[in-house]
Amino acid sequence: MTYQVEHRIHGFRRCNHETDVCVVGGGMAGLIAAIAAARHGARVVLVHDRPVLGGNASSEIRMWICGAHGCKETGILEEIQLENCHRNPTQVYSIWDTVLLEKAVFCPGITLLLNTTCNAGQMRQGRLESVSAWRLTSQTIHVIRARYFVDCSGDSVLAPITGAAIRVGRESRDEFNEDIQPPDADNRTMGNSLLIQARETSEPQPFIAPSWAYQFSSAADLPNRGVMARGDNFWWMEVGGLDDTIRDADAIQLELTRIGLGVWDYIKNHSERRHEFENWGLEWFGALPGKRENRRYVGDHIVTQNDVRAGGPFDDVVAHGGWSMDDHHPAGLYYPGKPTIFHPAPSPYGIPYRALYSRDVPNLFCAGRNISCTHAALSSLRVMGTTSVMGQAVGTAAALCLKQDCDPRDLYPSHIARLQALLQDDDQFLPGRQRLIAPLTAGAALSATGGDGVEALRDGFDRSETNGPRHGWKGVCGDSIQLSWNEPVAIGGLRLVFDSNLRQAKKMPCSYPLKGNRCGVPAEMIRAFRVEALDPDGGWTTVHRETDNYLRLVRLPLNIRTAALRLTPEQTWGAPEAFVFSIDVLAETPRPLGIAPAGKPWSERVAEIPSADLRPPHCEAGRP
């Protein structure tokens, strides 16, 4: 953990942290960057200015996590979403917040500072040495000194502190030969949206708008927007792109509040279809707008529209995208035309490592919608599934830099293959790259008692291809997969990849129909399985048994010596067949994921409180 020293200054407590990596911003990119760095051995301080994690995906904003079309992101994001499917099948946002909180609080190596805003920093010889932050809830000043900093704030909050080069707005069409850009460069951006959620009930739900809400009297006031559809989260209620989404944030928020109340008033009381929505009530009205765009860092590579269209064939690919170039008009709702243009983009395309750090500040990474790219490329890169895998890339890279004692720029090209191998081992998908197979797996005789595709278990691909190979073994529960060696070998553990149905988006909801939404553990997932080792006398001993698995990537510590192992799926979450993408036998014990500890009985917790603090309050004589 980080080293902390407390003292008082000007009446406020001051807390000094000495750490390896400081991540600023606890949206999906920042949270996952912190987890990735900590799991690879770095001490991490995660600084977030809100009371809940998740950024645009949190309960405060409630934007769903979108990503590459037909090529869902895996790695830590899929792990988090599967945890949510297991623990929160009815998709309650406040529970989703606790899923994200758990991943940070119980990850060894992470110090989490919520409600903490970075507002200053210290440079030394061109490097960022420390940042200062104010924690509102505890009225504490935190000073974090770190070897590396990761800006996942979205708005590049560390850019004014460091003087790092940034870009804002739209490039000219000619600068990078991008045909979806305007003829002349400007500082216009995509705007902010303040989302609302509705729920269908069994009885009428009247709505009275405040007098200060905007008045939408006919469909002509909302051209190309549509009144309401099931699943609509009203993303098109967007303004701010004509202004500065940082400087003018408060004015934009008020404008969006007046718009949102007026739009709902129109749907309920004035639209021609209002009878269809008589039983619909306003379930939730956002108070914090979600942002799409502001400052972007300049790295050693600037991702352009042409990189996206070419599929991103980079030799330093560390993540992937695949959302359309979804370029919102900067005027937002003021603009009567279509609110966005979906320019085609291939899925997947590669994202290069060289776009994920500052070219000017040698110890500053960036991940999220502030990476080194043009406005046109950002229109695809900005969605949270994509920013999440960027976060995993930079978190892993920061930990690798620490081990190599080098700066972010120095990983390329010397150590980029190592970074890519670490990411793939952690289930990060890298387009066009085959994962390295563990030597013990490659050297084993591989067989199965049933099913088909057993050799695909070690082909280096951990997902099915659209209209292509499934890259795995399919059988029925009770069939076994066996790996054998000519003589006993020392085994540290197993790496398994199961089928989590990557066609299932696992998104939190944007509206609530009467019967509710459910998003449980995918039926294809293997729920129960056992691992057995061959004894010297020819018998089999169960060395691990799992009865309630819900994760795609499973790492099992074994620390045994045997001439054969076998894996037997015993139960799925509902599918008639069992599917395994890969099985790797590891020589070393796999890294722990940082599982949350079991809660202790309340009676034990109370017993920890000193008895003197639990005495009845003093009573005056003669009075109860």
Side-chain angles (χ1 to χ4, degrees):
M1 302 299 288
T2 60
Y3 177 68
Q4 304 179 24
V5 178
E6 294 190 12
H7 62 277
R8 294 185 179 274
I9 180 170
H10 303 311
F12 294 119
R13 286 191 307 133
R14 177 181 172 122
C15 187
N16 294 331
H17 303 260
E18 298 282 346
T19 193
D20 300 319
V21 180
C22 175
V23 180
V24 177
M28 296 307 299
L31 170 62
I32 289 174
I35 294 170
R39 287 182 177 177
H40 282 279
R43 299 170 303 158
V44 181
V45 174
L46 173 58
V47 182
H48 188 48
D49 60 359
R50 306 301 304 174
V52 292
L53 295 163
N56 281 344
S58 74
S59 64
E60 291 191 303
I61 299 176
R62 305 194 182 192
M63 183 63 206
W64 50 39
I65 297 176
C66 297
H69 297 300
C71 190
K72 190 182 183 305
E73 299 73 20
T74 48
I76 296 174
L77 175 62
E78 180 75 349
E79 174 191 325
I80 290 172
Q81 290 181 310
L82 287 168
E83 183 73 44
N84 191 55
C85 288
H86 179 246
R87 195 148 67 78
N88 187 23
T90 55
Q91 297 179 291
V92 177
Y93 263 95
S94 55
I95 297 178
W96 163 247
D97 286 339
T98 70
V99 170
L100 301 181
L101 179 69
E102 172 187 312
K103 287 297 179 181
V105 169
F106 297 108
C107 180
I110 293 180
T111 297
L112 175 63
L113 300 176
L114 295 175
N115 300 296
T116 307
T117 302
C118 284
N119 50 24
Q122 182 69 42
M123 299 287 290
R124 184 181 297 273
Q125 297 180 342
R127 304 175 69 86
L128 182 55
E129 184 177 60
S130 66
V131 295
S132 298
W134 168 250
R135 195 172 199 183
L136 176 66
T137 50
S138 61
Q139 298 188 6
T140 307
I141 298 169
H142 291 262
V143 178
I144 304 113
R145 294 170 55 93
R147 176 79 181 271
Y148 306 101
F149 292 83
V150 184
D151 192 335
C152 296
S153 65
D155 287 339
S156 301
V157 70
L158 298 182
I161 294 172
T162 61
I166 58 170
R167 284 176 172 260
V168 177
R170 302 182 293 187
E171 289 80 7
S172 70
R173 185 172 301 163
D174 293 337
E175 183 177 2
F176 294 98
N177 191 29
E178 296 175 304
D179 60 19
I180 71 172
Q181 297 271 38
D184 299 312
D186 58 38
N187 61 357
R188 302 289 171 83
T189 66
M190 290 175 277
N192 299 353
S193 288
L194 194 150
L195 305 181
I196 65 177
Q197 291 184 322
R199 183 186 294 273
E200 186 180 13
T201 72
S202 58
E203 58 186 16
Q205 299 292 327
F207 178 75
I208 301 174
S211 60
W212 46 272
Y214 285 121
Q215 299 175 22
F216 298 88
S217 57
S218 70
D221 290 333
L222 294 167
N224 291 297
R225 266 63 178 186
V227 175
M228 186 173 113
R230 290 177 184 268
D232 190 359
N233 64 352
F234 301 93
W235 60 267
W236 45 263
M237 295 194 306
E238 174 185 0
V239 297
L242 302 178
D243 304 304
D244 185 321
T245 57
I246 297 175
R247 181 194 64 205
D248 304 314
D250 295 320
I252 293 169
Q253 178 182 354
L254 178 58
E255 182 79 345
L256 287 168
T257 301
R258 299 178 72 184
I259 288 170
L261 291 169
V263 167
W264 189 248
D265 177 51
Y266 171 71
I267 290 171
K268 290 290 296 183
N269 301 319
H270 304 290
S271 75
E272 293 181 356
R273 296 173 53 202
R274 58 186 178 272
H275 64 281
E276 299 178 32
F277 309 116
E278 183 179 15
N279 289 357
W280 282 80
L282 197 58
E283 172 77 10
W284 173 83
F285 194 98
L288 182 66
K291 290 184 179 180
R292 292 180 175 86
E293 180 180 6
N294 203 276
R295 308 183 188 110
R296 307 184 301 277
Y297 283 103
V298 178
D300 281 346
H301 183 86
I302 298 173
V303 182
T304 70
Q305 164 199 312
N306 300 310
D307 290 330
V308 171
R309 284 187 173 170
F314 299 105
D315 63 349
D316 60 334
V317 58
V318 291
H320 82 282
W323 187 255
S324 303
M325 286 184 281
D326 177 9
D327 194 8
H328 292 217
H329 195 287
L333 195 59
Y334 306 132
Y335 174 62
K338 292 183 178 180
T340 188
I341 298 175
F342 291 97
H343 301 280
S347 182
Y349 61 81
I351 299 171
Y353 171 69
R354 287 164 294 149
L356 299 176
Y357 56 83
S358 168
R359 74 177 187 193
D360 305 301
V361 183
N363 62 335
L364 178 58
F365 289 96
C366 54
R369 57 184 175 85
N370 63 348
I371 73 162
S372 179
C373 65
T374 65
H375 166 90
L378 179 70
S379 65
S380 172
L381 290 164
R382 62 186 171 82
V383 292
M384 285 183 284
T386 305
T387 64
S388 294
V389 292
M390 293 180 202
Q392 184 157 351
V394 299
T396 307
L400 183 57
C401 282
L402 186 68
K403 293 176 182 177
Q404 297 295 330
D405 191 24
C406 69
D407 287 335
R409 175 178 282 123
D410 299 329
L411 285 188
Y412 179 78
S414 301
H415 305 290
I416 199 67
R418 176 58 178 157
L419 175 58
Q420 291 167 331
L422 290 172
L423 289 168
Q424 289 184 297
D425 187 55
D426 291 337
D427 201 24
Q428 178 105 309
F429 171 66
L430 303 183
R433 294 194 65 87
Q434 187 175 15
R435 181 176 57 81
L436 297 175
I437 303 303
L440 283 175
T441 307
L446 188 59
S447 62
T449 60
D452 60 85
V454 67
E455 275 298 329
L457 289 167
R458 57 182 176 188
D459 67 2
F461 297 99
D462 293 339
R463 62 170 65 208
S464 299
E465 296 180 31
T466 303
N467 302 319
R470 291 205 66 184
H471 293 299
W473 170 87
K474 179 176 67 174
V476 297
C477 291
D479 287 339
S480 295
I481 301 163
Q482 182 170 316
L483 298 99
S484 305
W485 298 269
N486 293 331
E487 58 185 23
V489 295
I491 295 173
L494 275 182
R495 176 190 183 272
L496 306 170
V497 179
F498 296 136
D499 186 0
S500 62
N501 186 2
L502 298 181
R503 300 175 301 279
Q504 179 183 338
K506 307 175 183 69
K507 298 187 295 189
M508 288 294 290
C510 54
S511 64
Y512 295 94
L514 180 62
K515 295 182 180 179
N517 290 307
R518 292 193 64 85
C519 188
V521 178
E524 296 85 353
M525 180 66 71
I526 291 177
R527 181 172 189 169
F529 63 90
R530 69 179 184 271
V531 178
E532 298 166 291
L534 184 66
D535 298 328
D537 60 3
W540 291 91
T541 297
T542 298
V543 293
H544 183 89
R545 190 171 207 134
E546 182 63 54
T547 59
D548 198 33
N549 174 67
Y550 52 86
L551 296 178
R552 169 183 154 88
L553 174 63
V554 176
R555 287 191 173 101
L556 303 176
L558 294 180
N559 296 315
I560 59 173
R561 188 173 184 85
T562 184
L565 276 182
R566 68 183 183 192
L567 168 71
T568 304
E570 297 178 330
Q571 182 186 8
T572 69
W573 283 83
E577 294 177 315
F579 194 88
V580 181
F581 278 112
S582 67
I583 178 169
D584 271 282
V585 182
L586 310 176
E588 298 180 353
T589 304
R591 300 184 309 275
L593 295 182
I595 305 300
K600 63 179 62 177
W602 180 246
S603 59
E604 292 183 14
R605 178 68 185 102
V606 173
E608 296 172 349
I609 308 299
S611 57
D613 293 331
L614 300 178
R615 291 180 300 186
H618 174 70
C619 299
E620 296 180 12
R623 300 182 63 181

